[in-house]
Amino acid sequence: PRHSPGRFLGVMPAYSAAEDALTTKLVTFYEHKKDSSVPSHQATVLLFDPRNGSLKAVLDGSVITAKRTAAVSAIATKLLKPAFAEVLCILGAGVQAYSHYDIFMELFTFKEVRIWNRTKENAVKFANSVNGPVQVCSSAQEAVTGADVIITVTMATKPILFGDWVKPGAHINAVGASRPDWRELDDELMKNSVLFVESREAALTESGDVILSGAEIFAELGEVLKGTKPALPEKTTVFKSLGMAVEDTVAAKFVYDSWSAGN
């Protein structure tokens, strides 16, 4: 609703011929001023049969969003992280922090994991509830200094990660700041790193970090996966994640097929 600031309804339709799947994700995003028991993002995915248009399933879009977003960050990290990545840093302690932590622990081997969150008790709660050792840092700078892989999953609207803190050659997954006027990363970091996105078109209309910094997009992740653009893991790299509807389509079809096979 436009008249209410900080409240959005997103509609994300997509069709994949390869998956033989048609979906729409509905997302409500309500910025909560006070700590609320209700999450900021709530989502539902509708899966249709592309042959006749009938509704086949209604899926928990919040779980799908959390897992597919983290999976895409993990793919970017696999391609772009430095060869010796020992320290992982997570800025933010919400739903996406948990889903990213889970998949990153499954796929990579880090010697040290650090977390910072604006509200420290949420970072402490995170450290106490995940399966491995996590160091709670009292400032974002402390968490970031010397980190090889950095994940920003915050509700920030102004930069919380600054280029002069970042170790040269580090890889950053920037997941928050999904509005054209919101930022997580400062100009210095955006301009002095190699920038990868999911979709050029989306990044140039939706990402404040990309639009307001004027940073040049080097490649889409798909171009790197196809081999038409190099990954450049030796450089400082930023993957600006915004999410694409087709990621929900693929994830929803995967869940539905697994469920069908079991029934």
Side-chain angles (χ1 to χ4, degrees):
R2 290 235 159 165
H3 58 273
S4 11
R7 298 176 180 184
F8 302 95
L9 169 65
V11 181
M12 297 171 68
Y15 166 68
S16 165
E19 299 293 326
D20 188 35
L22 176 66
T23 64
T24 291
K25 184 167 76 175
L26 302 170
V27 194
T28 55
F29 172 74
Y30 276 57
E31 210 180 336
H32 299 302
K33 292 288 174 246
K34 301 208 167 47
D35 280 349
S36 165
S37 57
V38 180
S40 59
H41 294 69
Q42 297 177 78
T44 303
V45 176
L46 305 176
L47 175 69
F48 299 92
D49 187 328
R51 283 162 304 197
N52 58 24
S54 58
L55 179 65
K56 288 166 79 166
V58 178
L59 299 99
D60 184 331
S62 299
V63 174
I64 284 176
T65 304
K67 290 197 183 295
R68 67 83 158 145
T69 304
V72 174
S73 296
I75 292 166
T77 302
K78 208 169 179 179
L79 297 166
L80 305 171
K81 75 176 175 61
F84 300 100
E86 298 186 332
V87 180
L88 173 67
C89 160
I90 303 173
L91 304 181
V95 170
Q96 287 289 351
Y98 287 90
S99 62
H100 276 75
Y101 177 86
D102 287 347
I103 198 159
F104 276 57
M105 289 305 105
E106 198 178 310
L107 294 179
F108 308 108
T109 319
F110 292 101
K111 286 189 176 164
E112 190 186 333
V113 182
R114 306 171 185 165
I115 191 165
W116 169 83
N117 190 62
R118 202 183 38 156
T119 311
K120 194 174 180 178
E121 52 252 42
N122 289 345
V124 173
K125 186 177 146 198
F126 179 97
N128 291 336
S129 57
V130 297
N131 276 328
V134 176
Q135 182 189 331
V136 176
C137 298
S138 48
S139 72
Q141 185 172 359
E142 181 196 334
V144 167
T145 304
D148 301 295
V149 176
I150 300 162
I151 302 169
T152 61
V153 279
T154 72
M155 297 282 282
T157 54
K158 293 184 183 67
I160 44 101
L161 179 61
F162 296 87
D164 58 355
W165 300 348
V166 174
K167 176 180 175 175
H171 170 63
I172 298 103
N173 297 294
V175 180
S178 56
R179 308 280 308 158
D181 53 342
W182 292 357
R183 300 286 301 262
E184 282 187 314
L185 281 48
D186 77 335
D187 281 357
E188 188 189 335
L189 181 54
M190 288 301 297
K191 289 210 164 103
N192 296 327
S193 53
V194 184
L195 177 59
F196 298 81
V197 297
E198 285 151 307
S199 151
R200 277 191 173 81
E201 190 189 356
L204 292 170
T205 55
E206 294 170 30
S207 167
D209 282 318
V210 176
I211 298 163
L212 301 174
S213 68
E216 194 183 329
I217 296 167
F218 174 71
E220 293 182 346
L221 210 49
E223 295 177 300
V224 182
L225 288 166
K226 274 175 24 188
T228 55
K229 284 279 177 83
L232 308 177
E234 67 285 354
K235 302 262 209 244
T236 305
T237 53
V238 169
F239 169 58
K240 175 60 208 153
S241 160
L242 285 162
M244 294 177 75
V246 72
E247 294 163 4
D248 302 307
T249 305
V250 172
K253 184 68 163 46
F254 177 76
V255 170
Y256 181 80
D257 288 348
S258 304
W259 174 79
S260 301
N263 283 279

